[in-house]
Amino acid sequence: MFPMSQLRRIFEHPSTGYLLKFQAVATRRSLNLNFPFKSSVRKMHLENNHKSDSRGALIVLEGLDRCGKTSQSSRLLSFLERLGYLVESWRFPDRNTGVGQMISSYLANESQLDDHAIHLLFSANRWEKRSLMETRLRSGTTLIVDRYSYSGVAFSSAKGLDIEWCKAPEMGLLAPDLVLYLDIPPEKAAERGGYGGERYEQLEFQRKVAHSYQLLHDVSWKTVDACLPIEDVEKQLGEMALDCVTTCQKGKALSRLWSS
């Protein structure tokens, strides 16, 4: 073995220092070439940030009674599920809650309520689900919603209530990422099976609802001709919904309805 004094002279010699420095640089380069740790860690960090911002989409189907919303909501749910997305189908009013049961009784003509009161009940029914809705979306689940705040405002304003008053209790609810409006003439909707079974299924009233809907269109709305064959409507809705889901997965922020 070398004595300590000799080892010290070897390592302190200038040529030895250069050699050690060259070996360290070569080793570092070799490691970077074969195992790009910094690059991988940075990539993983960016991916994790991306995933934390990713969320499900809030997609709402709107339209007159008997426009095909319920059927198309079911088809859209199946379409996204086949593609591997987490997705749930929701419907307003939600008749399973306490408020929803009061609404259900009213719609079936089993009870009478002031127009202002029933509007507030419809709004309260949506507020009952607001927190759960946000939780689902942030967990990555896309929600396909059959009717939302637009229905509440369109139907109540069609009765003669002030449209701004109707919008007020809805402000602060989550704004949809996409509203799919199934457009159908009221006369065509009236020809479909089951029409007239509930309070609002009256031709003249539905004409007023159609007019109110036109006042609510914004940039989130896409209109589809509901008179087309079912398969054609389904295809259009699927393409629009898929584009929306992709956008939300990239980190689109949630916003509040009519917050401005």
Side-chain angles (χ1 to χ4, degrees), residues 114-133:
D114 177 81
D115 290 339
H116 296 81
I118 190 61
H119 179 78
L120 294 175
L121 283 179
F122 271 103
S123 183
N125 190 231
R126 287 181 279 275
W127 277 103
E128 285 183 295
K129 306 298 289 290
R130 197 262 187 220
S131 295
L132 180 60
M133 177 178 282

Side-chain angles (χ1 to χ4, degrees), residues 98-119:
V99 172
Q101 290 173 13
M102 296 173 65
I103 294 172
S104 182
S105 175
Y106 172 83
L107 292 176
N109 289 303
E110 296 172 356
S111 64
Q112 300 298 322
L113 287 169
D114 177 81
D115 290 339
H116 296 81
I118 190 61
H119 179 78

